[in-house]
Amino acid sequence: MAMGKNIRTFFEGSWHDADMTVLKAADHAMWMGSSVFDGARLFDGMTPDLDLHCARTNASAEALMMTPTVSTSDMVEIALDGLRGFAPGAAVYIRPMYWATGGDATMIAPGAEGTAFAISLEEIPMPAATSSSTLTRTRFRRPMLESAVVNAKAGCLYPNNARMLREAQAKGFSNTLTLDAMGNVAETATANIFMVRDGEVFTPIANGTFLAGITRARHIKNLRADGVKVHETVLGYEDFEAADEVFMSGNFSKVTPVTAFDDRSYQIGPIAKRVRELYWDWASSLS
């Protein structure tokens, strides 16, 4: 699924200047959904937390009972090598991925052998600092580990997110504020979520129903170092209705302010702006 332009693909040991076909009709992933991926970013000449995203790719593969075939350090080096093929200043979405080509004797579980690997590099601009999102309730919920592989960034989880997004779009919103199976706010359909009240920041506690993101953790660390109190706690819809500001956190955009939750409106507040400043300052300090 191409979203941008200038796509490069690493497959079977080499880089190709194309969006390649890599999946076969009989591959296990084609009919059993045994695929995982992760997302990192190149922007302003920086690739913050690329190593953590590559490490999570391997962890996700293991969660889906696949055997990772590329070390984290090698994956980072392969990605950096591929990024050299883009023009200076390009913003690139970095997607390392694994999928199972064969199954075990049951045909349902992936086989011990036959884990395929690729990296897709796709030139996609970073969203503008002024971009925002609107949220609404959804009847669909995040599953628990007992019913889905929520400890992996797995392709098989995303049809549920797609249902949420279609529901939101039908109601005139761009995203959802999604509950977990217990009825607590978990995240949005696409990203982790934060809210601000009286100058303090709150985010749902990581309870195993959603991936507590790499960028989420970075924001928490940056805010605390900046003297802002951050609470990881149980939150409900009523907490977001009473919030002073709300923002989303994810690798693709890093920070996205929320301007509405159903009929509740928000301004793009000072904390969301500060989170963005802190992230860019931190990323720049790595250069």
Side-chain angles (χ1 to χ4, degrees):
M1 179 190 69
M3 296 173 58
K5 60 180 182 178
N6 299 338
I7 298 174
R8 306 195 74 207
T9 307
F10 180 86
F11 183 56
E12 295 184 337
S14 60
W15 281 104
H16 308 268
D17 291 323
D19 183 16
M20 292 183 61
T21 299
V22 297
L23 192 64
K24 298 177 182 177
D27 279 356
H28 189 269
M30 185 69 179
W31 54 293
M32 284 293 165
S34 50
S35 67
V36 298
F37 72 100
D38 216 288
R41 270 293 205 172
L42 166 69
F43 62 96
D44 298 343
M46 306 179 294
T47 54
D49 284 330
L50 176 59
D51 57 335
L52 299 184
H53 288 285
C54 290
R56 193 169 65 180
T57 307
N58 282 341
S60 292
E62 291 173 346
L64 254 72
M65 299 166 287
M66 291 186 283
T67 304
T69 58
V70 182
S71 70
T72 295
S73 58
D74 285 349
M75 201 180 301
V76 169
E77 288 305 313
I78 293 168
L80 292 176
D81 179 56
L83 291 170
R84 296 185 186 102
F86 290 85
V92 180
Y93 191 42
I94 306 163
R95 282 192 299 259
M97 62 193 79
Y98 287 110
W99 65 96
T101 59
D104 67 4
T106 69
M107 298 180 67
I108 303 299
E113 303 293 332
T115 302
F117 173 76
I119 299 180
S120 176
L121 303 179
E122 190 171 356
E123 188 172 347
I124 305 175
M126 290 290 289
T130 55
S131 64
S132 62
S133 183
T134 57
L135 306 180
T136 186
R137 289 166 171 78
T138 174
R139 67 186 186 277
F140 303 113
R141 296 195 178 190
R142 290 290 303 174
M144 297 186 296
L145 184 61
E146 291 81 2
S147 59
V149 284
V150 290
N151 58 332
K153 198 167 178 68
C156 59
L157 294 172
Y158 279 80
N160 193 42
N161 301 54
R163 295 194 302 176
M164 299 174 195
L165 291 171
R166 287 293 178 87
E167 184 181 27
Q169 292 162 2
K171 294 164 64 176
F173 295 85
S174 58
N175 213 318
T176 63
L177 191 57
T178 305
L179 302 178
D180 61 24
M182 289 76 73
N184 304 311
V185 170
E187 58 176 356
T188 74
T190 61
N192 294 141
I193 191 72
F194 290 81
M195 53 162 276
V196 181
R197 188 170 60 236
D198 298 330
E200 298 184 7
V201 175
F202 300 79
T203 191
I205 190 168
N207 63 359
T209 65
F210 63 94
L211 278 180
I214 292 166
T215 306
R216 171 188 179 273
R218 187 64 61 191
H219 291 333
I220 292 172
K221 187 174 182 178
N222 288 345
L223 281 166
R224 286 174 173 164
D226 200 45
V228 178
K229 288 186 178 180
V230 181
H231 307 271
E232 296 181 78
T233 187
V234 176
L235 297 168
Y237 281 153
E238 65 279 3
D239 294 299
F240 284 83
E241 290 171 331
D244 299 322
E245 59 177 293
V246 177
F247 61 91
M248 297 158 52
S249 160
N251 166 69
F252 190 84
S253 303
K254 304 306 179 185
V255 184
T256 304
V258 171
T259 56
F261 170 45
D262 285 332
D263 56 1
R264 172 71 165 90
S265 296
Y266 313 97
Q267 298 296 317
I268 298 177
I271 297 294
K273 293 176 182 177
R274 184 60 179 155
V275 169
R276 183 181 177 87
E277 291 171 358
L278 289 170
Y279 188 89
W280 259 253
D281 288 348
W282 164 78
S284 298
S285 72
L286 304 177
S287 303

